[in-house]
Amino acid sequence: MPWLTGYPREKIDWYPAVDSRKCVKCAMCMNCGKNVYNWTKDSPVVARPYDCVPGCNTCAILCMGDAISFPSPEYIRAIYKREKIWGKVKKVLKNTGKI
Ligand code: SF4
Ligand code: SF4
C-alpha cells in the first residue's frame, strides 16, 4: 500500500504514546503487525515509532487499559492535504487497478 508515496515518514509525528499509569499489561499492543512495540520486563515500550502506519490506531482501540493515545486525526489529514499526498496515493491506486 503506497501510504506516503515518497513523503519522509520521519516528518510525520504519528505513533503511539503509552501512559504507563493506565497500562494494565494486557499485551494487546504486542499484536501490532508492524512490530512497533517491545515488551520490556512486564510492559510495552514504543521501540520503532516510525514503523507505525500513519493514521492507524488499532492498538489504541484494542488496549484494555485505554492507555494508548495518538494525535488528532485532523493532524494527519492536514499533512495529507498540505503535501498533496492523497492525490499521489490515489494515482498509484488507480495505476495498480485497486480503484
Ligand atoms: S497504530 Fe497500528 S501500526 Fe501503529 S503501533 Fe498501533 S497497531 Fe501498530
Ligand atoms: S494494550 Fe494497553 S494496557 Fe495492554 S499492555 Fe499495551 S499499553 Fe498496556
Side-chain angles (χ1 to χ4, degrees):
M1 176 69 184
W3 297 104
L4 298 173
T5 56
Y7 189 75
R9 175 63 183 87
E10 291 73 20
K11 284 189 168 185
I12 301 181
D13 292 328
W14 183 278
Y15 40 76
V18 176
D19 183 339
S20 57
R21 293 164 302 177
K22 291 169 112 183
C23 176
V24 296
K25 306 183 191 336
C26 67
M28 286 300 287
C29 52
M30 298 304 289
N31 273 316
C32 167
K34 300 297 280 184
N35 197 29
V36 166
Y37 294 91
N38 277 356
W39 192 260
T40 58
K41 207 170 170 190
D42 60 355
S43 62
V45 293
V46 180
R48 287 162 292 279
Y50 294 111
D51 285 351
C52 178
V53 177
C56 182
N57 67 346
T58 303
C59 52
I61 290 168
L62 294 176
C63 175
M64 296 297 177
D66 200 18
I68 301 174
S69 59
F70 283 89
S72 154
E74 278 313 314
Y75 166 74
I76 199 109
R77 286 182 192 134
I79 293 174
Y80 266 65
K81 200 169 175 182
R82 187 186 73 224
E83 302 296 334
K84 301 183 177 22
I85 294 172
W86 186 243
K88 294 175 195 166
V89 170
K90 202 170 172 186
K91 201 171 169 185
V92 174
L93 291 172
K94 275 187 178 169
N95 289 344
T96 54
K98 289 187 175 166
I99 60 172

